[in-house]
Amino acid sequence: MTTAFALLRKQIKDSLCNFQALMVMLIYPLVAFVMITALGSEDGMSGMFVTMFATMHASFAPLVTASNILSEEKEKGTLRALIMTGVSRQQYLISESLFVVSVTLLTGSAFLAMDVFTRDRAAAVAAAMLCGAVLSTLAGLCVGILSRNVSAANGMAVPIGLVTALLPMLARFNESLDRAARYLYSGQISRVLDSGKLSGEFAAVMAVYTVLLAALLAILFRKKGLE
Amino acid sequence: MAIVKLDKVTRSFGAKQVLGGVSLQIEKGEIFGLLGPSGAGKTTLVNILTGQLSCGGTAEIFGMNCGRIGREVYRRTGAVLDNCGLYERLTCMDNMKLFACIHHISAARIAEVLREVGLNGSERLRVRSLSKGMRQRLQLARAILHAPELLFLDEPTSGLDPATAEEIHALMRRLRENGTTLFLTTHNMDEAYRLCDRIALLHEGQIVEEGQPAAICRRHCSDSELHIVTSDGEDLSLPSLPQNAEVVAALMREGKLRAIHSAEPDLGTVFLRLTGKELTQ
Ligand SMILES: Nc1ncnc2c1ncn2[C@@H]1O[C@H](COP(=O)(O)OP(=O)(O)OP(=O)(O)O)[C@@H](O)[C@H]1O
Ligand SMILES: [Mg+2]
């Protein structure tokens, strides 16, 4: 428990000194805030923007953050130092995942405050954001395990993040993209944010992605460890 | 009691064999030096001992197979290795606090260790602003924070100025006096000679000589030389054999002897004789 607490405190302090990491976590809420402030009362438009940026936030930010943290610790050898003090690899992964998910939700809560999501939609929105944060974090850890250093991790995480984050937005303008986005977890998140209602389809897609990503993470971890 | 035991340890990377059957024992409370040129396999051996690399043969620390060491062994060992970094954006104190918290160690002990390595007053500096010597001290502070019984140091003074290196040597001696066993690698023969109780010379993955540094030199230098400078400025090198005593005596009688040194082979020369290669290059 003290180890988890120590890792969490380290990560908070480190992230606060890391401008790039802060930007990744804050950029979408900030842009959304600027947009709705600029658009004012044109309701339909501001709702769409907030949904779009909230989807991007939940799918892009945790993916890039998780992969960056893990790959930087590998590159700098700090993870090796932790392991050599007896921190288990599983303990490390769990602590870092909790950190990334919590920060995503914390910064993502700004979207709830933007007055676009009515109170009765809040629970569904929060659930969708939580699912997005967890799945993207799992994907980020997979990328981190596969990458030797930060630039390799970014080279993989940014394209994946852009596809998951942008496809739901593009799907609004193209029907075949919309059909494809249905099978993407971020596509489902976008739908829930739009409608404010959780659906069976959403639950099914989330379950499938959870199983797939957790299995992928387990396989990669078994094969490559955290070296 | 042997704390580290290696028996015919081998390790290859692809087709390249880096360690070809290394056998060693390290006793409690000694400073053991592994001496060898760049690429000899020193770091590879340390990585095996710290459980980071698998190997052939048997490698044990505290009687535990190195391939399976876990928390209990890590709590009894410390390491200053190239591949164990510091958190660059955090301060010295935050770096230390993290590891202290993991080891359940008090803040008072952090202050004590920082004083020990000469970093008191630098607690609030960020690691990225530290000089190389200060980083090395901080790594050392982190490694000894939990008072480990066995400390691994991979080239702890390479690239440091002589004064800082000497301070680190002094710290290593203090640690030995307190009962810590030290395993260090170096290609600095002077460091090995002055600091280590025992050394092993590693060459292309094989131990070519092992023992006390002075004893090794004596073993390989029955044929030491005398270097003589005469008052005419002439340099003479004579094998120190009985028949040359008369030459020296004659120079002294004539008042022509300005300086005389006995040139016993140092570890570098021994290494050169054993392997045909320079130790440092
Ligand atoms: N991960 C690796 N993959 C392939 N080859 C490696 C690896 N690690 C080490 N080697 C090779 O093993 C040999 C020994 O390397 P090692 O780092 O153990 O040498 P060293 O004695 O520590 O040298 P130095 O004094 O330069 O640190 C080198 O030829 C190196 O190229
Ligand atoms: Mg080395």
Side-chain angles (χ1 to χ4, degrees), chain A residues 2 13-14 72-73 77 80, chain B residues 52 83 85 87 89 94 104:
Chain A
T2 44
K13 284 190 175 172
D14 191 60
E72 187 178 10
E73 295 241 34
R80 163 76 39 216
Chain B
Q52 306 179 54
N83 60 0
Y87 290 96
R89 286 182 289 267
D94 285 336
H104 306 285

Side-chain angles (χ1 to χ4, degrees), chain B residues 39 42-44 82 154-155 185:
Chain B
K42 303 183 293 295
T43 302
T44 305
D82 267 356
D154 192 7
E155 305 201 8
T185 73

Side-chain angles (χ1 to χ4, degrees), chain B residues 193 212-223 264-265 267 270:
Chain B
Y193 192 93
Q212 294 174 342
I216 291 179
C217 288
R218 279 198 303 274
R219 208 176 303 158
H220 292 274
C221 62
S222 48
D223 50 345
E264 282 132 22
L267 288 172
V270 172

